[in-house]
Amino acid sequence: KSGNKRDAGRNGQGRITMRHRGGGHKQLHREIDFKFDKKNIPACISTIEYDPMRSAFIGLAVYRDGEKRYVVISKTAKVGSEFIVSETAPITNGNRLPLANMPVGTFIYNLEIKPGAGAVMIRSAGNFGEVVAQDSGYVHIKLPSTEIRRVIGTCWATVGEVSNDEHHLENLGKA
């Protein structure tokens, strides 16, 4: 966890150049692992935490070799849940594998667009994509927006749905 000073609406000298930006509550930044570059090492979720920077819940993943990383967790994850990042991983919630190894109809999140670049899509609370078709090295994904996008089969994704699916029901209070 690390702190960053908010600089909304300010230029390089720190002067306000765009009015009515900024404020809000102080937030600690948590370094989230979207690369998932620890392959074939099982991990266990030791804590489930609130993150002020995102709508989904995060979990502290403790890998077998002792390393700890924060990850965006799936809807069904509980303390003690295990997952693995592997090409041969079973199709169960929380596991991460290449799109080419997933059957049609699988729900996914934490989707890569470029192989090895890290998850950039389908990361906010309650969202999921669906593997719609496999087609000569490419996989067709139905995004939460209902757009169908073609992604190369060597890109990775996590099986399941993003946690905190009741996020959209939160009452914000006054207008």
Side-chain angles (χ1 to χ4, degrees):
K1 296 179 186 178
S2 63
N4 274 353
K5 186 159 172 36
R6 288 179 58 100
D7 58 358
R10 280 148 178 82
N11 65 8
Q13 282 125 20
R15 297 209 177 106
I16 293 175
T17 54
M18 187 179 287
R19 295 168 23 190
H20 313 302
R21 295 284 168 124
H25 204 286
K26 196 173 196 177
Q27 299 176 336
L28 274 179
H29 179 73
R30 289 140 181 90
E31 198 65 42
I32 308 290
D33 179 21
F34 289 116
K35 275 234 188 278
F36 290 96
D37 47 9
K38 286 185 85 67
K39 306 233 187 326
N40 303 312
I41 301 172
C44 178
I45 303 291
S46 66
T47 63
I48 294 176
E49 301 178 20
Y50 168 79
D51 186 358
M53 299 285 194
R54 64 198 73 250
S55 56
F57 293 130
I58 59 173
L60 187 62
V62 180
Y63 288 86
R64 277 276 162 83
D65 62 3
E67 189 175 345
K68 296 178 181 179
R69 295 181 180 183
Y70 278 117
V71 294
V72 173
I73 57 172
S74 75
K75 181 176 165 183
T76 58
K78 295 177 174 55
V79 172
S81 298
E82 291 210 345
F83 71 91
I84 190 166
V85 180
S86 171
E87 291 195 21
T88 57
I91 310 290
T92 55
N93 281 347
N95 285 352
R96 189 165 174 82
L97 51 158
L99 290 171
N101 300 356
M102 293 186 187
V104 171
T106 307
F107 284 176
I108 59 166
Y109 69 99
N110 268 352
L111 173 65
E112 277 184 341
I113 292 188
K114 294 180 183 157
V120 292
M121 295 187 87
I122 318 176
R123 303 189 327 193
S124 65
N127 278 338
F128 59 90
E130 185 179 355
V131 177
V132 179
Q134 303 270 7
D135 166 37
S136 61
Y138 287 88
V139 179
H140 296 257
I141 306 292
K142 185 176 185 181
L143 300 176
S145 64
T146 68
E147 176 192 346
I148 294 180
R149 185 173 274 203
R150 196 176 78 149
V151 181
I152 195 158
T154 53
C155 289
W156 292 61
T158 309
V159 179
E161 304 172 36
V162 185
S163 59
N164 197 13
D165 58 336
E166 294 181 357
H167 171 74
H168 71 284
L169 301 174
E170 285 175 17
N171 187 357
L172 297 177
K174 296 180 192 170

